[in-house]
Amino acid sequence: MTVRGDHVVVSGDVATEQRRAEVSEVIKDVAPELVIHNDIRVVGADEPTRREELR
């Protein structure tokens, strides 16, 4: 998270769109005067489709 003036930029990866939205909601609750730029990416966290080989 980076704050510059009245703007906050959040970034990173989460597993669901709901988690992404929750980040913005928390920021709004804590600092409602900030303009939020949510650059968080939703990345798949699916179960493996095949067996992983360890060597």
Side-chain angles (χ1 to χ4, degrees), residues 8-50:
V8 60
V9 178
V10 290
S11 60
D13 298 334
V14 294
T16 67
E17 183 61 41
Q18 179 181 350
R19 294 286 186 205
R20 182 180 187 276
E22 288 171 350
V23 171
S24 291
E25 289 302 315
V26 169
I27 295 169
K28 285 179 193 175
D29 288 345
V30 174
E33 72 282 0
L34 293 177
V35 176
I36 302 167
H37 301 278
N38 189 336
D39 292 338
I40 294 177
R41 296 181 311 157
V42 177
V43 296
D46 300 332
E47 291 185 29
T49 57
R50 60 186 174 84

